[in-house]
Amino acid sequence: MKVDRTTRIPGVDIARALAVLGMFAAHILDLDDLRWTDPATYASLVQGHSAVTFAVLAGVSIALVTGGTRPRTPEQLVIARHQLLVRACCIFFLGGLLQMLGTPILVILVMYSFLFVLALPLLRVPPRTLFTAAGVLAVVMPVIVPPLHAAIGAWGSPYNALSDILINGAYPALIWSAYLLLGLGLGRLDLRSPAVARRMVGFGAGIAAAAYLLSAALVPLQDAVDPNRRFEPPSKFFAPYDNPGEGFRWTWSDLLGLLGADAHSGTPFDVYGSAGISMVVIGGCLLLCPRPSPWNYPLRATGSMALTVYSVHVVAIFALCSVTERGTSGDYPWQNVWTWLVFAAVAIAISSFWIRRFGRGPLERLITAIAERSSGSRRHSPTGAPQSVE
């Protein structure tokens, strides 16, 4: 069974492959802090940004499987929402299993499943509204999340578990919802148009440059108010669970943490900058790979079964952690560029073979089958195509 090339957009699959391989690097390499004046640290660009691109592509994929530039009819959307909800449940379960392995990886799939649920009422919202909402959330959520976390923390269990997913985890869904809305808006555009891809690259580069340069320009203000640089990004200064009665207190140093742009900090500058980079990556892939060809087939195949590739790499790292011990520096002996190259090469090679032979990744096939059967029939698939990508 061959991949149906008429229903896939090559650039989207390639961008998804690059995002997954970037997460490989973030999980395997010992990355230093990014310093623009030191080219040796440029590999740290994958830190946070590859996961953000993966999240933006979740929105793009949801938009594409529900009609792309022509959203489905209300009747079709009922079935589409049902299938998306089932997919979300399957991905949530899969993410929980991978998290139980106890690897050093911050598994993104649990939060990823929440993005599917968040998308359910937004499938007919026009792109302009989605882009506006994403921009507003990028500013508002980083400010709302810390006091909200303090309030939920005072309630205690079982709300703490929900807080970890929506607010306090490595991928706080309330903040990352901005990436979903951005992706949904992009997926409603004509992604096969070179003009759309060029605008995506231009706007993305402009947004990223403005966010990071403005954040850097505000460093003197941070130094003036807090010379010892004690401030932390929002994810670091939540009220502790063991003292809920103390409530939530913000100091000037805490507020200055919102001016930073470090990866995974969840500040407005981080969200805007990371979103801009993801637009550059996706738009660049659309421009460079407008149509399927033999040379881009390996990456297209990897991107088309990204869920399987991601899951298998978590299991592989679990196996490596089980047979090796951390060194005195706290790193594993296999954390080097050679391991990443092996992981990337094996993932690309197996994906190329698997897609050519079977047409769809095993996890993608399983989840699609469950979603379709739950809705009654394969003919009700919202994609109208024999395969889909989560």
Side-chain angles (χ1 to χ4, degrees):
M1 177 178 173
K2 299 294 184 64
V3 173
D4 184 356
R5 293 177 172 81
T6 64
T7 62
R8 304 198 71 95
I9 299 177
V12 172
D13 280 335
I14 291 172
R16 191 179 292 107
L18 294 180
V20 171
L21 296 179
M23 286 192 283
F24 280 17
H27 300 155
I28 293 172
L29 302 181
D30 181 19
L31 300 173
D32 296 324
D33 292 336
L34 176 64
R35 298 186 298 276
W36 293 109
T37 56
D38 184 3
T41 67
Y42 285 1
S44 297
L45 277 170
V46 301
Q47 195 76 273
H49 298 133
S50 54
V52 167
T53 302
F54 196 57
V56 172
L57 285 166
V60 172
S61 297
I62 291 171
L64 291 176
V65 301
T66 55
T69 57
R70 292 179 293 179
R72 303 293 181 178
T73 64
E75 294 77 12
Q76 292 173 321
L77 285 179
V78 170
I79 298 172
R81 289 190 176 100
H82 175 96
Q83 294 191 8
L84 286 173
L85 182 58
V86 173
R87 289 172 185 270
C89 294
C90 293
I91 294 173
F92 181 87
F93 178 71
L94 175 62
L97 290 178
L98 294 177
Q99 193 69 56
M100 289 171 61
L101 295 178
T103 67
I105 296 174
L106 301 171
V107 178
I108 195 175
L109 295 184
V110 172
M111 185 280 300
Y112 198 74
S113 66
F114 271 77
L115 296 186
F116 274 61
V117 176
L118 178 63
L120 296 179
L122 304 175
L123 299 183
R124 302 194 72 183
V125 178
R128 186 183 299 274
T129 304
L130 291 168
F131 294 146
T132 302
V136 171
L137 288 178
V139 175
V140 172
M141 281 303 175
V143 179
I144 291 178
V145 158
L148 183 61
H149 179 275
I152 294 179
W155 297 346
S157 182
Y159 302 103
N160 292 351
L162 182 62
S163 175
D164 286 342
I165 297 172
L166 297 179
I167 297 172
N168 192 36
Y171 308 105
L174 291 183
I175 293 177
W176 283 58
S177 61
Y179 303 131
L180 170 76
L181 296 182
L182 172 63
L184 278 174
L186 295 177
R188 293 294 179 217
L189 304 178
D190 183 7
L191 297 183
R192 299 184 187 276
S193 167
V196 169
R198 286 193 295 268
R199 287 197 294 271
M200 198 182 302
V201 172
F203 279 112
I207 292 170
Y212 291 126
L213 290 176
L214 184 56
S215 176
L218 293 172
V219 168
L221 174 62
Q222 297 172 336
D223 291 336
V225 176
D226 189 1
N228 297 322
R229 301 301 294 274
R230 294 186 302 272
F231 62 84
E232 296 284 355
S235 60
K236 304 298 183 185
F237 57 87
F238 297 120
Y241 287 142
D242 52 351
N243 297 306
E246 294 183 3
F248 180 84
R249 294 189 300 274
W250 247 339
T251 66
W252 280 109
S253 297
D254 295 330
L255 286 172
L256 288 175
L258 292 170
L259 303 181
D262 294 340
H264 284 301
S265 63
T267 68
F269 293 105
D270 170 42
V271 176
Y272 271 97
S274 299
I277 288 178
S278 71
M279 291 174 65
V280 172
V281 171
I282 297 170
C285 290
L286 293 171
L287 283 174
L288 294 175
C289 307
R291 59 185 62 86
S293 68
W295 73 267
N296 63 34
Y297 169 75
L299 284 179
R300 285 190 289 114
T302 305
S304 70
M305 53 182 288
L307 182 64
T308 296
V309 170
Y310 177 89
S311 302
V312 171
H313 109 278
V314 175
V315 175
I317 288 181
F318 166 74
L320 286 175
C321 292
S322 300
V323 299
T324 57
E325 294 183 358
R326 293 182 185 269
T328 55
S329 64
D331 298 327
Y332 287 99
W334 46 265
Q335 287 187 275
N336 54 61
V337 69
W338 298 110
T339 303
W340 176 78
L341 288 174
V342 170
F343 268 60
V346 170
I348 292 172
I350 293 179
S351 298
S352 300
F353 166 79
W354 190 279
I355 294 300
R356 190 174 297 279
R357 177 66 179 83
F358 301 104
R360 187 187 298 166
L363 287 178
E364 287 78 7
R365 180 183 295 276
L366 175 62
I367 292 176
T368 297
I370 293 173
E372 290 176 347
R373 287 179 180 274
S374 70
S375 64
S377 172
R378 287 180 59 87
R379 65 187 178 87
H380 290 312
S381 172
T383 64
Q387 78 285 322
S388 60
V389 177
E390 282 73 18

